[in-house]
Amino acid sequence: MSQLPANLVGVMEQRMKLIEQRSAYLQEQINQPDASPEEYSRANKEFHKLESTMDMIKELRLKKEEIEGLKSLVENSVEEKDLREMAAQELLQAVDEEKRLQHNVFRSLLPKDEADERDCILEVRAGTGGEEASLFAMDIFKMYEKYSQNNGWKFDVIDIMGSVLKGYKEASGTISGPGAYGKLKFESGIHRVQRVPVTEKSGRVHTSAVSVAVLPQADEVDVQLRNEDLRIDTYRSGGSGGQSVNTTDSAVRITHVPTGTVVAIQDERSQHQNKAKALKVLRARLYEIERQRLHMDRSKLRSEQIGSGDRSERIRTYNFPQGRVTDHRVGITHHSIGDIMEGESLDIFIDALLLREEMDAISSFSS
């Protein structure tokens, strides 16, 4: 594995120190007896997010100490040839291991989607295709349920609205487990199937579609719902009936007035259970709306900063003596492609550019 450039290691060292300081500060916050539940929850959540990176940093620190000890042993064991050769061999292995750890720490410092480790809410809706689409929606929903079980995640049904042929017009569920949202978030969108449905007697192939939405679950700390912003309606559940199902006002519809977001749940017999499920779905939808708003704001700001790329735009000029230039603001040297292809790693070049672009995001650990 190739060695990271010295100036990039220097930048990485600064980030590592910031993370160590932030982790120590959060540990103090967690141990404060007078901390409010909200403060404790936020500090505890952030502390656990930094935990894996902190473990890698500690491992890298220990490896550096081991290398220093082996170097000292090689230099000072003048008369003991066997011991010196053994230490030299271990030193080579330790240096290779240090390179691997540096790459791992470097990747962990690049910003990630903070929602990736969250639980998620899955929503499946039948689209074009009539009853065949509802049957396909049922297949899709059960597919994700099976996939969740195979990954060791917990899958709980929130609500199912059936169709005439016992397919699913709409279905939603919660998926709980480490990294659930990160692994499933790209499933969102339109899913299409072309097959001969059970509703077809002539053997013709039909095309049906369903929409899939995967939302990160939000805690009460993330989305605070005010009573004055909610309109809660109760009504009798629809469907095939059954004991106490269509005879009481157990179904719940919650409208978030400021955004117009509506969630209706009638899956449970208890009004309180339906309300709890509806609030969970509502928080997830509002959390995703806010995430999308922030993403759009950042994209707009980035577009304004980058401009059209035309020569009339305000620009910074970089001169490349001998095919390279050093950006002294961040201490990173950019090499020409020719230099890289002659021996430098293209991956390191790309990673360096990524680190520079995301510098401000990583610096947020110090706030």
Side-chain angles (χ1 to χ4, degrees):
M1 184 173 287
S2 55
Q3 178 73 48
L4 291 174
N7 48 11
L8 187 57
V9 172
V11 174
M12 193 172 76
E13 181 65 32
Q14 295 174 16
R15 304 303 161 211
M16 288 163 57
K17 289 179 180 177
L18 288 174
I19 290 175
E20 288 171 325
Q21 293 170 5
R22 184 64 176 171
S23 181
Y25 170 76
L26 292 170
Q27 184 70 66
E28 291 179 5
Q29 290 291 104
I30 291 170
N31 293 332
Q32 286 288 339
D34 56 344
S36 67
E38 290 80 10
E39 292 172 337
Y40 175 85
S41 178
R42 286 195 183 96
N44 191 51
K45 186 186 297 183
E46 186 179 350
F47 179 78
H48 283 296
K49 277 199 288 187
L50 294 179
E51 207 165 21
S52 60
T53 303
M54 276 297 299
D55 289 341
M56 287 188 282
I57 291 174
K58 289 175 182 176
E59 192 176 358
L60 181 58
R61 300 284 194 215
L62 290 173
K63 188 57 64 175
K64 287 181 180 293
E65 293 178 6
E66 180 185 343
I67 289 173
E68 291 301 318
L70 289 170
K71 284 181 178 178
S72 177
L73 196 59
V74 170
E75 293 169 359
N76 298 328
S77 302
V78 180
E79 298 179 359
E80 302 177 22
K81 182 179 178 182
D82 292 343
L83 181 60
R84 189 171 67 250
E85 290 178 352
M86 187 182 302
Q89 185 64 33
E90 290 183 9
L91 179 60
L92 290 175
Q93 295 175 357
V95 170
D96 286 340
E97 181 66 12
E98 182 192 30
K99 292 177 184 177
R100 185 187 68 81
L101 292 172
Q102 281 181 337
H103 278 265
N104 289 344
V105 171
F106 178 77
R107 290 190 186 95
S108 74
L109 293 180
L110 294 175
K112 304 176 184 66
D113 186 345
E114 63 90 25
D116 279 354
E117 293 302 313
R118 289 176 179 262
D119 301 337
C120 64
I121 290 179
L122 170 72
E123 297 182 341
V124 177
R125 291 180 177 83
T128 304
E131 284 296 324
E132 164 60 6
S134 69
L135 293 173
F136 181 46
M138 179 180 66
D139 293 340
I140 288 286
F141 193 73
K142 290 184 176 181
M143 176 190 72
Y144 287 122
E145 181 177 9
K146 185 67 175 177
Y147 179 77
S148 301
Q149 293 169 355
N150 290 342
N151 279 276
W153 300 333
K154 182 181 179 183
F155 189 98
D156 291 316
V157 175
I158 293 178
D159 190 39
I160 293 176
M161 183 183 297
S163 68
V164 175
L165 293 181
K166 298 185 178 179
Y168 296 166
K169 290 182 180 178
E170 293 184 12
S172 57
T174 60
I175 301 174
S176 306
Y181 178 70
K183 290 184 179 179
L184 292 174
K185 63 182 180 180
F186 297 112
E187 295 296 311
S188 296
I190 303 300
H191 295 234
R192 190 182 69 165
V193 66
Q194 291 180 311
R195 64 184 182 184
V196 179
V198 294
T199 56
E200 174 60 45
K201 297 181 180 179
S202 304
R204 293 177 299 176
V205 174
H206 286 230
T207 300
S208 301
V210 303
S211 64
V212 173
V214 180
L215 309 173
Q217 280 202 49
D219 301 327
E220 293 185 21
V221 175
D222 301 312
V223 178
Q224 297 182 356
L225 299 175
R226 300 185 303 173
N227 290 331
E228 56 267 31
D229 291 339
L230 303 178
R231 185 172 69 245
I232 301 176
D233 303 310
T234 59
Y235 56 98
R236 293 189 180 182
S237 302
S240 57
Q243 185 177 1
S244 302
V245 175
N246 296 342
T247 58
T248 60
D249 294 336
S250 59
V252 174
R253 183 190 301 109
I254 301 180
T255 304
H256 186 249
V257 178
T259 62
T261 305
V262 180
V263 178
I265 301 292
Q266 61 175 18
D267 192 57
E268 301 289 343
R269 293 182 179 180
S270 165
Q271 185 183 116
H272 295 293
Q273 289 176 319
N274 284 328
K275 181 180 178 182
K277 284 187 173 183
L279 288 173
K280 180 180 288 189
V281 174
L282 180 61
R283 283 194 187 95
R285 290 184 183 175
L286 294 177
Y287 181 63
E288 183 64 13
I289 289 172
E290 180 63 15
R291 277 166 43 85
Q292 292 295 331
R293 186 189 67 78
L294 289 174
H295 176 71
M296 293 297 293
D297 288 347
R298 289 171 186 152
S299 297
K300 181 180 178 181
L301 179 61
R302 184 175 183 275
S303 178
E304 290 173 352
Q305 291 176 348
I306 293 174
S308 64
D310 189 77
R311 284 177 294 183
S312 62
E313 296 276 3
R314 181 174 63 88
I315 61 173
R316 293 187 181 92
T317 301
Y318 291 80
N319 294 318
F320 279 68
Q322 299 180 354
R324 58 177 61 83
V325 63
T326 298
D327 188 335
H328 297 286
R329 293 169 298 169
V330 293
I332 292 176
T333 298
H334 306 300
H335 297 263
S336 68
I337 293 297
D339 288 341
I340 293 167
M341 297 308 291
E342 287 175 6
E344 299 232 9
S345 167
L346 184 59
D347 288 338
I348 293 175
F349 175 73
I350 294 171
D351 285 347
L353 294 180
L354 280 172
L355 182 63
R356 177 188 166 194
E357 184 179 358
E358 302 292 351
M359 192 74 65
D360 291 338
I362 299 175
S363 297
S364 64
F365 285 122
S366 62
S367 61

